[in-house]
Amino acid sequence: MKLVVLGSGTSVPHPHRASPAFWLETNGGVILLDISPDAPHRMAEEELDWPNLDAIWVSHFHFDHFGGLAPFLFSLKWAPQTQKRVNPLHIYGPVGVRNLINAINDANNYRLFAQPFPIEIIEVVAGENFEILTGITAGTIKTPHTKESLALHLTEQTGKVFVYTSDTGVSEEISNFAAGADLLLMECSFRRNKPLETHLELIDAMRMAQDARPNKLVLTHFYPEWDEIDDIVCEARTLWAGEVVEATDGLTLEI
Ligand SMILES: [Zn+2]
Ligand SMILES: [Zn+2]
């Protein structure tokens, strides 16, 4: 698998950290993990094959994770690069994702589903296992963030495991869910004194990493307060000795 960080930031506009989106290439196709308002143009900026994207994962309905979906569907409809596409685009998300996109679609007769190729929306219940791409098994678990928010666990036929927490508060269940992942992509919204329980600060993230023991931990979803810190990895490593990587926009990692 190959991961490209498109957005290592949050909903807060930032000069170097776009809102959350991650491009994941697998041997069963390509999936976009969260589709922030910045995601469509970031895919183009990284020269990725966005016209042939196979699937989109929406972790929850906050705009920094979902807000690019309607604009992206609107662009697929009109882009010259997609007019000859025949393969369907699968959109996976929590229960309610269909209603949400339909509500936007109906609000102004956008006709977002009148595409050159089929769009299929699949609603996923927490705890469900399913095939997300050909030969790629997905599992989900509820995260303590919003009522619908889900973490995602992917297993490739090669045995490689990738886990994406998306936004979450502290959860022992999520550490267990991520146990032994080859790459764990985890939010680390705040450095310390987090203003709300539905996100992680550094010590929370590193405690969860200690329990999960991933081969590689990638921290992301950085609020602007992190700008004051020169070396996030160095600070993280004082709390957990495993391999830690700071997500930065454009970073590419092989899994
Ligand atoms: Zn977020
Ligand atoms: Zn959120």
Side-chain angles (χ1 to χ4, degrees):
M1 287 186 269
K2 186 173 110 176
L3 179 74
V4 182
V5 176
L6 298 173
S8 58
T10 64
S11 56
V12 181
H14 191 281
H16 318 299
R17 294 194 189 275
S19 45
F22 305 89
W23 177 270
L24 185 70
E25 293 176 11
T26 75
N27 56 19
V30 180
I31 184 163
L32 178 67
L33 304 166
D34 279 334
I35 180 155
S36 66
D38 295 322
H41 289 266
R42 285 286 300 126
M43 288 188 282
E45 193 171 28
E46 297 293 339
E47 300 181 341
L48 298 168
D49 186 19
W50 57 267
N52 295 304
L53 180 64
D54 297 297
I56 297 170
W57 166 253
V58 176
S59 66
H60 66 294
F61 304 150
H62 281 159
F63 277 118
D64 53 325
H65 299 257
F66 163 82
L69 184 56
F72 186 56
L73 292 177
F74 190 68
S75 68
L76 289 177
K77 183 173 160 152
W78 299 111
Q81 297 96 320
T82 54
Q83 300 309 306
K84 293 198 171 110
R85 175 172 173 162
V86 291
N87 289 339
L89 171 65
H90 296 97
I91 300 167
Y92 296 89
V95 174
V97 71
R98 182 179 285 112
N99 274 350
L100 207 48
I101 192 68
N102 281 342
I104 295 169
N105 194 34
D106 295 343
N108 193 40
N109 189 30
Y110 287 114
R111 305 183 68 238
L112 296 176
F113 299 102
Q115 299 275 356
F117 54 92
I119 305 276
E120 290 169 25
I121 299 177
I122 301 107
E123 295 192 328
V124 177
V125 177
E128 197 177 330
N129 293 309
F130 55 100
E131 190 179 49
I132 198 162
L133 293 163
T134 310
I136 309 292
T137 310
T140 59
I141 189 172
K142 173 86 198 69
T143 75
H145 180 67
T146 61
K147 69 173 174 29
E148 78 285 357
S149 56
L150 297 174
L152 183 68
H153 183 292
L154 300 181
T155 310
E156 206 177 37
Q157 275 162 339
T158 57
K160 292 279 182 189
V161 171
F162 167 87
V163 174
Y164 174 42
T165 65
S166 189
D167 292 1
T168 186
V170 173
S171 162
E172 202 177 310
E173 289 78 18
I174 291 169
S175 302
N176 295 336
F177 179 76
D182 292 284
L183 191 149
L184 170 57
L185 178 60
M186 182 183 266
E187 79 126 284
C188 190
S189 292
F190 301 101
R191 185 177 174 219
R192 57 170 72 118
N193 305 321
K194 62 181 180 182
L196 66 185
E197 286 301 312
T198 51
H199 280 297
L200 301 178
E201 61 184 46
L202 185 63
I203 195 164
D204 301 330
M206 302 320 287
R207 275 185 191 143
M208 284 173 66
Q210 205 161 18
D211 292 342
R213 298 176 171 277
N215 284 344
K216 188 178 283 190
L217 175 71
V218 180
L219 298 175
T220 191
H221 204 271
F222 296 112
Y223 272 95
E225 65 176 63
W226 280 106
D227 292 355
E228 295 157 28
I229 308 306
D230 291 334
D231 195 338
I232 294 176
V233 168
C234 180
E235 189 148 330
R237 285 187 58 99
T238 63
L239 299 165
W240 180 58
E243 186 178 354
V244 185
V245 176
E246 172 198 344
T248 52
D249 291 16
L251 177 72
T252 300
L253 296 167
E254 292 289 339
I255 304 169

